[in-house]
Amino acid sequence: MLPTFMPVATQAAIKGLTAQQVESLGVTLILNNTYHLNLRPGLEILNEAGGAHKFQGWNRNLLTDSGGFQLVSLSKFTTITEEGALFASPFTGEPTMLTPEESIRIQHTIGADIIMQLDDVVSSLITGSRVEEAMHRSVRWLDRCIAQHECLGKADTQNLFAIVQGGLDPQLRDKCLEEMISRKDRVAGYAIGGLSGGEEKALTLHNIVFQAQVMGRAREAIINGTFPDYLRSFFNQYFGDAGYPEWCVNALRTVGVDLLEGKESITVVPGNAAKWEYADSSTL
C-alpha cells in the first residue's frame, strides 16, 4: 500500500528497536546502505550470514541504495570519473572504487528485494554544467547496472530501479525521465533522486509533481485531464483528517493545484516534514 513509511537502517539496524518491534509497528519495508554495509560488516560476513535479511533478522521487504548518495554526503572523500566513484574510507583512508557493476554486485550479496542503480548525484543546490553532466552519466551508468544485473542472473529475484536525476531543472529531469522510461522493460521501477538537499520545499514538491507521471495512476490522470483531482485525492488519503501541512498546500498552489478546493473543513497546520510531523501537532 502506498505511500509507505520506510525507516532507514543504514548499517542493518534501526537504532533502539529490534526487527520484531519494527515489524510490529506495521513497517513492511526498510532501507540498508550499500556503501556502509560494504565497509562494515563487509561482504564476507554478510555472505556467511546468508544476506542482510538474516543478518538483521528482518523478514519483510528490504531496499538498498546504490552508494550514490555518498557522492554528496562524503564528497570530500570522493573523486568521480566515468569509471565510477573513488572513495577514501572515512575510517581508514583506504581507497575504494565503486563502479556501477560493483554496486550491483554488492547489492546482490546484500540480497535486497529492491536495489538501486548507481547514479551520479550532485547537491540540489548546484547549478550549471555539472548538473547536466551528472544526469547524462546517470543514464550511462544505468545501462551498465542493467547489464551487470542481467549478466548475474538476478533480474527475476531482485528488482532494479532507475533513478531520475537533473537537479532542479525540469527540462533536464524530463530528458532523464524519457531515457529511463525507454528502458522500462529492463527495470522494475523508478526513483526520484537528487532532491531534499537543502532547496526550497516548494521546488522539491514541484519536481516530484512534475515527475509523478512515472506512477501509473498519475499518468492515467494526466492523459484524462484529471491530474489536479488525482492530486487532491492522493493527498486527502495520505494526510486524512489530520490537516494539511502549510508547506504542502503552498507548494502545490505554485503549480496550479489547490488542495483545499471543495474541502473547506480541512485545517492547515504548520510543519515541514511529512505525515509523522503531526506527532507534535495540537490537532491530534
Side-chain angles (χ1 to χ4, degrees), residues 109-159:
T109 299
I110 291 172
D113 303 285
I114 299 173
I115 65 177
M116 295 290 168
Q117 73 153 109
L118 182 65
D119 51 341
D120 186 358
V121 184
V122 297
S123 169
S124 58
L125 302 179
I126 290 179
T127 59
S129 61
R130 177 69 182 98
V131 178
E132 184 171 6
E133 174 191 34
M135 183 275 285
H136 287 297
R137 180 173 288 130
S138 294
V139 175
R140 294 192 297 270
W141 282 3
L142 172 61
D143 287 334
R144 291 168 59 185
C145 288
I146 290 172
Q148 179 79 337
H149 188 50
E150 294 175 346
C151 177
L152 296 179
K154 296 287 188 177
D156 292 333
T157 56
Q158 291 178 282
N159 298 285

